[in-house]
Amino acid sequence: MAEVTVDSKSGRGADASPRTQERREKILDAAEELFATSGFDGVTLRQIARQAGVDVALTSYYFGPKLQLFDAVLRRRGEILNKARLDALRSAEEEAAPNPPSIEKVIEAFLRPLEIAQESEDRGWRNYCALIAYVNNSPVWGKKMIGKHFDKLVREFTAAMQRCFPDAPARDIFWCYHNLSGALSLTFADTGRIDILSGGACESHDFKSAYDRMIPFMAAGFRQVCIAGKG
Amino acid sequence: MAEVTVDSKSGRGADASPRTQERREKILDAAEELFATSGFDGVTLRQIARQAGVDVALTSYYFGPKLQLFDAVLRRRGEILNKARLDALRSAEEEAAPNPPSIEKVIEAFLRPLEIAQESEDRGWRNYCALIAYVNNSPVWGKKMIGKHFDKLVREFTAAMQRCFPDAPARDIFWCYHNLSGALSLTFADTGRIDILSGGACESHDFKSAYDRMIPFMAAGFRQVCIAGKG
DNA sequence: GATTAGATTCAACGCTTGTTGAAGTGTCAA
DNA sequence: TTGACACTTCAACAAGCGTTGAATCTAATC
């Protein structure tokens, strides 16, 4: 598979008239939603163009090959989100200085910016998160794309987690982060399965309820493994 | 999308000569691996047939349309796995009777049969689990296929978890199960990302290490949320 | 008002897709 | 040996794919 090295402002029409930029965004919105639903290979450029209300050829004209459009979708909100999460982490650390913040605060910095985005009126954030969930669990896309867009941020967070438990082996920190990441990813997916399993007691798009429980849940898990040891 | 109502023994060649049955299995093996890597739409029947060493037309002859082949792949090992997990749960419950087993024992019954399968010499189980991970986080496949093949088993386990915490609201039980399910799913995916993030300290196919930590981690999370309450 | 560059449309390209019907091959029963 | 039947191959189908080059339109500059 080809490398993707372009940035989100690449391709034509990136700094053109408002009308053009609006169409670019419409294409990204449509691609975001459709990719989230059906994955990279389950969507055609013609579907995306139809939903965006533009000609097929325009998708290639703006973004180049399909893979670069996919990359542009991931990057658009990824940059915003990573910045918000990093700011939240910095705030938590400043507040607790010179001590490290509690693991709850670190996890909260990881999750709450998502809640704000997902609960907003803009449906796009939910589509984006669902796409991340899909891609994250794919061997090919997960390794290639998620790493590219998120590794830098994740390293900041795992380093902060290590500072919460300075005596814990790195192995334990990373497996604990892995648990957090997996649970979060399934929440993103918003599959509606918990609604069915729980007979309506839970709703998969009720992100606040999910995160309210996820924070103490994961914090307790971290402490169990990173302080008491895995046995 | 069309309904799939056939069972795994449907289609032609299901109870024919050993040579024919062997070819059926080869097709399922190839489909399993390729679907796990690239998803339903990212794989063509011609790729599957080539990897299985058979003619394309045979895939349709044996299994019918592509979607039914996909279903047959999910069902083949799903039935075996569900039985092993249910047996493990029953054993844990009998051992603890008349009390409910500890939450650790319930989680262990949920996880250990997977470890045995994944650590076996048969690569097929790892492919199958990676496929489940991929499908589980897809809005369309997750709802349709995972529910069909796993809901019955999951209801047994969530009921057992509820018996561990009889005073906890069902909402809390299901959100905790959700966390377990998500973390497990990411482990299945075996993306190799934890290897990179941890600089080699962890290996994503080291399922035993993952489960050894996941059990105490998740048990502590359950207790925090289901006893202490989400605050 | 002419010129020019970018935005947009249209039509087509070569190629691949899932599926199928007809033809061919093997195998066991009568 | 013949017949029947399931298995296997082959070739083809219509439909759709991503992408592109030429033509057309739009709008700002000279």
Side-chain angles (χ1 to χ4, degrees):
Chain A
M1 222 161 307
E3 270 314 301
V4 177
T5 51
V6 294
D7 75 317
S8 66
K9 289 292 197 264
S10 82
R12 279 172 274 208
D15 35 39
S17 70
R19 193 180 92 102
T20 297
Q21 288 205 40
E22 198 178 309
R23 294 182 110 175
R24 263 181 73 102
E25 295 295 315
K26 283 223 169 194
I27 291 173
L28 288 173
D29 290 341
E32 188 171 60
E33 182 179 337
L34 292 169
F35 282 143
T37 306
S38 307
F40 180 78
D41 296 294
V43 172
T44 72
L45 291 175
R46 285 173 168 84
Q47 288 177 277
I48 292 169
R50 193 181 319 130
Q51 174 151 331
V54 303
D55 191 275
V56 209
L58 220 46
T59 65
S60 298
Y61 179 74
Y62 286 151
F63 297 100
K66 189 182 182 186
L67 188 61
Q68 283 182 30
L69 171 59
F70 191 66
D71 192 68
V73 168
L74 290 183
R75 172 160 299 136
R76 179 172 57 157
R77 295 191 204 268
E79 287 176 349
I80 298 167
L81 181 60
N82 284 348
K83 187 173 176 337
R85 289 166 120 181
L86 194 57
D87 286 350
L89 178 60
R90 294 275 181 265
S91 293
E93 284 179 323
E94 278 169 23
E95 199 176 311
N99 296 316
S102 69
I103 185 67
E104 277 88 352
K105 292 286 183 189
V106 175
I107 297 170
E108 185 142 19
F110 197 62
L111 299 185
R112 289 294 180 199
L114 290 158
E115 182 187 325
I116 294 163
Q118 286 168 319
E119 301 280 0
S120 82
E121 67 209 60
D122 181 4
R123 278 281 302 275
W125 276 105
R126 277 159 65 178
N127 293 331
Y128 168 80
C129 289
L131 174 58
I132 295 298
Y134 202 175
V135 167
N136 193 38
N137 274 25
S138 147
V140 41
W141 300 110
K143 208 169 197 169
K144 179 192 284 275
M145 295 301 220
I146 296 289
K148 177 178 173 186
H149 290 284
F150 289 102
D151 269 9
K152 192 159 167 290
L153 180 86
V154 170
R155 285 180 203 284
E156 296 271 359
F157 270 91
T158 51
M161 289 162 178
Q162 179 75 75
R163 288 192 292 273
C164 290
F165 303 102
D167 297 330
R171 278 191 310 282
D172 290 342
I173 298 287
F174 282 101
W175 278 119
C176 285
Y177 168 76
H178 169 96
N179 290 337
L180 170 60
S181 173
L184 180 59
S185 189
L186 182 58
T187 308
F188 282 2
D190 194 8
T191 58
R193 230 167 89 67
I194 198 173
D195 309 50
I196 294 168
L197 285 170
S198 69
C202 306
E203 296 167 288
S204 71
H205 58 269
D206 179 7
F207 299 103
K208 180 161 169 30
S209 289
Y211 297 147
D212 281 349
R213 287 166 179 81
M214 200 179 290
I215 291 166
F217 184 103
M218 295 292 158
F222 263 92
R223 289 207 176 87
Q224 181 69 36
V225 171
C226 295
I227 297 179
K230 74 186 169 70
Chain B
M1 226 161 306
E3 270 313 303
V4 177
T5 51
V6 295
D7 75 316
S8 67
K9 289 292 197 262
S10 81
R12 278 172 275 208
D15 34 40
S17 70
R19 193 181 91 102
T20 297
Q21 288 204 40
E22 198 178 309
R23 294 184 110 177
R24 265 180 70 102
E25 295 294 316
K26 283 225 170 193
I27 291 173
L28 288 173
D29 290 342
E32 189 170 62
E33 182 180 336
L34 291 169
F35 282 144
T37 305
S38 307
F40 180 78
D41 296 294
V43 173
T44 72
L45 292 176
R46 283 173 171 85
Q47 288 177 275
I48 293 170
R50 192 181 319 133
Q51 175 151 330
V54 303
D55 191 275
V56 209
L58 265 190
T59 65
S60 298
Y61 178 75
Y62 286 151
F63 297 100
K66 189 182 181 185
L67 188 60
Q68 283 183 31
L69 171 58
F70 191 65
D71 192 67
V73 169
L74 290 182
R75 171 159 302 138
R76 180 173 56 157
R77 295 190 205 267
E79 286 175 350
I80 298 167
L81 181 59
N82 284 348
K83 188 173 175 335
R85 290 166 119 181
L86 194 56
D87 287 350
L89 178 61
R90 294 274 182 264
S91 293
E93 284 179 323
E94 277 168 25
E95 199 177 310
N99 296 317
S102 69
I103 185 69
E104 276 89 351
K105 293 286 183 188
V106 175
I107 296 170
E108 185 142 20
F110 197 63
L111 299 186
R112 290 291 180 202
L114 291 159
E115 183 187 325
I116 294 163
Q118 287 168 317
E119 301 279 1
S120 84
E121 68 210 61
D122 181 3
R123 278 281 302 274
W125 276 105
R126 276 159 65 177
N127 293 331
Y128 169 78
C129 289
L131 175 57
I132 295 298
Y134 202 175
V135 167
N136 193 38
N137 273 25
S138 146
V140 41
W141 300 111
K143 208 169 197 168
K144 177 191 284 276
M145 296 300 222
I146 296 288
K148 176 178 175 188
H149 291 281
F150 290 101
D151 268 9
K152 193 160 166 291
L153 179 85
V154 171
R155 284 179 204 285
E156 296 271 0
F157 271 90
T158 50
M161 288 162 179
Q162 178 76 74
R163 288 192 291 275
C164 290
F165 303 102
D167 297 330
R171 277 191 312 283
D172 290 342
I173 298 288
F174 281 101
W175 278 119
C176 285
Y177 167 77
H178 169 94
N179 290 337
L180 170 60
S181 172
L184 180 59
S185 189
L186 182 58
T187 308
F188 281 2
D190 194 9
T191 58
R193 231 167 88 68
I194 198 173
D195 310 49
I196 295 167
L197 285 171
S198 70
C202 307
E203 295 167 287
S204 71
H205 59 267
D206 179 7
F207 298 104
K208 180 162 170 26
S209 290
Y211 298 148
D212 281 350
R213 288 167 178 81
M214 200 180 290
I215 291 166
F217 184 104
M218 294 292 158
F222 264 92
R223 289 207 177 88
Q224 181 69 35
V225 171
C226 295
I227 297 178
K230 74 186 169 71

